[in-house]
Amino acid sequence: MSRASETSIFTEMTELARRTGSLNLGQGVPDLDSPAALLDGVSRALLAGDNQYPPAHGLPALRQAVAAHQRRRYGLDWDPDGEVLVTTGATEALASAFLALSGPGDEVVTFDPCYDAYPAGARLSGARLVAAPLAPDGDGFALDADALRAAVTPRTRMLVLNTPHNPLGKVFTRAELAAVAEVCVAHDLVAVTDEVYEHLTYDGAAHVPLASLPGMRERTLTISSAGKTFNVTGWKVGWVTGPARLVAAVASVKQWLTYASGTPYQAALASALDGVEEWAEGLRRTLRTGRDLLADGLTRAGLRPRRAEAGYFLQADVRPLGYQDGARFCRDLPGRAGVVAIPTSAFRVARPDPAPWLVRFSFCRRHEDLREAAARLAALAASQPAS
Ligand SMILES: *Cc1c(COP(=O)(O)O)cnc(C)c1O
């Protein structure tokens, strides 16, 4: 499948949702409240005149808040001057990291399936993306350490790790991270980690940054963002922490992409980040309940949701309803049930997709919508396929 047609499945499903009036659980756009004090903080900042370019590395107050957050939560010590960089969302941090640290002739290793910005980043930089499969394991997914080791060649420069993981909702365990770290150290790779769901873990799953493992601090760039943590995906404020030489490399590209952005948002986030734990506790409860509502509807539909211990998404195996192909199921679903989802194959690097029957449903929605979606999905069990 070409890249253009992968992009079009998102467009196609969004259009299908609009045309059929379906509940759109295809996209990961939260329909949930943000902290009132944070929204208030933005208004105050922009009325106070915080409307011009921030410093290229970000407002000092936000860099200090990010450094304090990493120290408080993970015991990682970074200097706000030189080891913290504010970016235009995690997306710009990722693109800048690909461009700064990889190029034609290089290989970048990641895991399959993966967030679609990684193949895009590799295409921008000219590097080859090599994806090691995450293997089905019980009702979830696990690292295949042998596949990871086999994916590394003398041309590998960088490893990109996403934990908690989109689309799979997997949280890498400490043992899995130790195996990843061992590969990075053995092959002298730079690790870039995408931790935008770091606060959204459920059922006692603990997020551990790869940078906190032995030997990893000096070779890891850790990326996160305000979007998912505070339900403000339209603000596009992200950040990178890491050793000064790697942060400087990312900054040298970033300055020619946006230079800097979002002054009043940065100002408000600098205060909000200090109280993030209390906020995130409530958000986790909301999302976990939403996940359970959706999982219940999927189960009643006769589908088999996989375990999701973090993030916004559940994967369901659609074979019990007679489908082998998730894309075909997603095209039928609006007509059969008034719900839109996305085939997990849209996030797959490997061709052919080893598990084309997986479909991704998002639960970052209000509970009344998820209850309605669950009821519509449950009715699937009684209906016959349209095609
Ligand atoms: C949403 C998302 C991003 C994008 O973050 P922004 O801060 O909005 O740019 C990056 N990585 C993953 C895994 C995501 O789900």
Side-chain angles (χ1 to χ4, degrees):
M1 197 193 282
S2 78
R3 198 59 210 171
S5 61
E6 274 180 41
T7 308
S8 81
I9 192 89
F10 288 92
T11 314
E12 181 188 343
M13 290 302 147
T14 303
E15 173 56 22
L16 207 51
R18 198 193 55 75
R19 201 149 39 77
T20 57
S22 294
L23 282 164
N24 191 350
L25 304 187
Q27 289 178 318
V29 183
D31 178 21
L32 299 168
D33 293 334
S34 302
L38 175 62
L39 305 182
D40 227 45
V42 177
S43 317
R44 271 189 282 114
L46 67 87
L47 290 172
D50 284 348
N51 299 305
Q52 308 311 327
Y53 299 123
H57 282 240
L59 290 183
L62 180 54
R63 284 188 270 121
Q64 280 154 18
V66 168
H69 175 273
Q70 297 305 96
R71 189 177 317 115
R72 183 173 77 236
R73 289 189 62 77
Y74 308 123
L76 286 164
D77 251 305
W78 301 111
D79 183 349
D81 297 316
E83 295 184 322
V84 180
L85 172 71
V86 179
T87 57
T88 304
T91 304
E92 187 190 41
L94 286 161
S96 302
F98 270 98
L99 288 165
L101 303 169
S102 73
D106 294 338
E107 291 176 0
V108 175
V109 169
T110 193
F111 300 94
D112 205 12
C114 66
Y115 186 60
D116 49 3
Y118 313 159
R123 275 196 308 282
L124 283 175
S125 79
R128 194 167 93 85
L129 190 73
V130 179
L134 291 169
D137 177 44
D139 62 350
F141 298 87
L143 173 77
D144 179 343
D146 290 333
L148 171 60
R149 284 188 282 269
V152 176
T153 77
R155 291 178 296 283
T156 311
R157 292 283 162 275
M158 181 166 114
L159 175 141
V160 179
L161 171 75
N162 174 210
T163 186
H165 188 274
N166 174 9
L168 298 183
K170 169 184 172 54
V171 179
F172 280 69
T173 64
R174 201 173 271 282
E176 288 175 324
L177 293 171
V180 173
E182 195 182 301
V183 168
C184 291
V185 170
H187 298 275
D188 195 22
L189 308 182
V190 171
V192 173
T193 67
D194 178 344
E195 307 185 7
V196 301
Y197 297 102
E198 62 184 314
H199 287 283
L200 309 184
T201 57
Y202 320 122
D203 311 329
H207 169 65
V208 178
L210 186 63
S212 66
L213 272 80
M216 292 310 291
R217 187 188 191 282
E218 61 267 29
R219 62 176 69 251
T220 304
L221 282 167
T222 304
I223 296 173
S224 194
S225 155
K228 310 289 163 58
T229 298
F230 293 110
N231 298 322
V232 292
T233 57
W235 289 9
K236 285 287 182 179
V237 180
W239 45 83
V240 186
T241 53
R245 75 187 160 85
L246 293 177
V247 169
V250 172
S252 70
V253 172
K254 182 255 187 304
Q255 69 175 328
W256 299 115
L257 295 180
T258 60
Y259 178 67
S261 66
T263 308
Y265 302 111
Q266 289 195 26
L269 283 164
S271 315
L273 213 49
D274 289 337
V276 65
E277 278 82 7
E278 200 185 338
W279 162 258
E281 205 182 308
L283 180 57
R284 276 194 294 273
R285 263 200 307 274
T286 301
L287 285 165
R288 196 190 54 220
T289 304
R291 177 200 64 182
D292 293 345
L293 288 170
L294 178 61
D296 179 56
L298 291 168
T299 305
R300 282 191 287 141
L303 298 169
R304 290 186 212 131
R306 313 303 296 259
R307 182 172 79 245
E309 52 198 3
Y312 280 177
F313 307 105
L314 273 175
Q315 320 299 305
D317 179 342
V318 297
R319 285 175 294 180
L321 289 184
Y323 289 87
Q324 292 297 315
D325 179 12
R328 177 133 176 248
F329 173 84
C330 288
R331 290 190 177 100
D332 286 355
L333 190 60
R336 291 185 64 192
V339 172
V340 161
I342 289 281
T344 307
S345 58
F347 303 91
R348 195 69 79 169
V349 177
R351 295 283 179 262
D353 184 344
W357 45 79
L358 289 178
V359 168
R360 191 190 81 166
F361 293 81
S362 71
F363 53 81
C364 53
R365 303 290 300 261
R366 295 183 187 282
H367 292 168
E368 59 262 33
D369 285 354
L370 293 171
R371 266 190 213 98
E372 173 63 26
R376 292 184 186 186
L377 287 165
L380 267 179
S383 76
Q384 289 305 306
S387 47

